[in-house]
Amino acid sequence: MAFGRSSRDRRPLEPVTLKILVAGGFGVGKTTLVGAVSEIRPLRTEERLSEAGRPVDDLAGVEAKTTTTVAMDFGRITLREDLVLYLFGTPGQDRFWFLWDELAQGALGAVVLADTRRLADCFSAVDYFERRAIPFTVAVNCFEGADKFPTETVQAALDLDPEVPVLMCDARDHSSARDVLVAVVEHAVARAERPREPATT
């Protein structure tokens, strides 16, 4: 009589690892979101803002900010036993954009964090992922005192395709940030499974 292998003999599942970018404008909460969900101590490359950077760093709306990411943030979260996400937070200022192409290599998808007080700051990130056909979701980080708008209004203001998910979130909250990452994975998988339109000649 054949018996199945005991639980002791079963090999542990080899998890699928996926790369997700966390992008958006300066001071929108990228470092905060990565730190809120990471199950490891996040790697941060923050430096203090200096007087020399004031002419190029727009602090309107985030005057209390004293540090900035100069390379990337890195964290990891296990969504399921067989699914692990590696998170790469991008720098927000234009002068660090040369790093984005390296960080985007092999990414399944991205989160574009938005702040309704500085919505135009995420236009560049939206354009970047659209041009490279990288699936992304927009997550509005609901700062205290910021005006709240329906997701449809944000989608229209950013001129997004109807298929791009828009969510409200609190980047400081583990569950809220995790929901955003789940939405990115689901959107990327749905896009990958969609039949491609035949090429026109």
Side-chain angles (χ1 to χ4, degrees), residues 5 42-43 56 90 97 108 110 120 129 133 142 151 157 165-167 173 178:
R5 286 193 292 175
L43 168 67
V56 290
T90 64
W97 270 73
L108 173 80
F129 297 124
C142 298
T151 56
V166 177
L167 305 86
D173 180 75
R178 184 182 185 279

Side-chain angles (χ1 to χ4, degrees), residues 101-159:
D101 287 339
E102 290 293 328
L103 292 175
Q105 289 289 329
L108 173 80
V111 179
V112 175
L113 271 179
D115 178 354
T116 57
R117 301 169 301 178
R118 298 159 54 102
L119 199 58
D121 287 2
C122 68
F123 285 167
S124 296
V126 168
D127 184 60
Y128 182 91
F129 297 124
E130 286 180 341
R131 287 177 181 273
R132 289 158 180 79
I134 297 175
F136 69 95
T137 66
V138 172
V140 178
N141 193 8
C142 298
F143 287 92
E144 293 179 13
D147 291 333
K148 292 181 172 58
F149 300 96
T151 56
E152 296 82 3
T153 301
V154 175
Q155 193 160 42
L158 294 176
D159 194 25

Side-chain angles (χ1 to χ4, degrees), residues 18-24 30 33-34 85-90 97 100 103-114 122 124-140 160 163-167 177 179-189 191:
L18 302 174
K19 181 179 183 180
I20 302 292
L21 300 184
V22 181
K30 301 180 294 293
L33 186 142
V34 172
L85 302 185
Y86 289 115
L87 310 177
F88 291 80
T90 64
W97 270 73
W100 280 51
L103 292 175
Q105 289 289 329
L108 173 80
V111 179
V112 175
L113 271 179
C122 68
S124 296
V126 168
D127 184 60
Y128 182 91
F129 297 124
E130 286 180 341
R131 287 177 181 273
R132 289 158 180 79
I134 297 175
F136 69 95
T137 66
V138 172
V140 178
L160 300 174
E163 68 168 21
V164 176
V166 177
L167 305 86
D179 289 346
V180 169
L181 298 173
V182 169
V184 175
V185 174
E186 290 177 345
H187 175 54
V189 169
R191 247 185 60 167

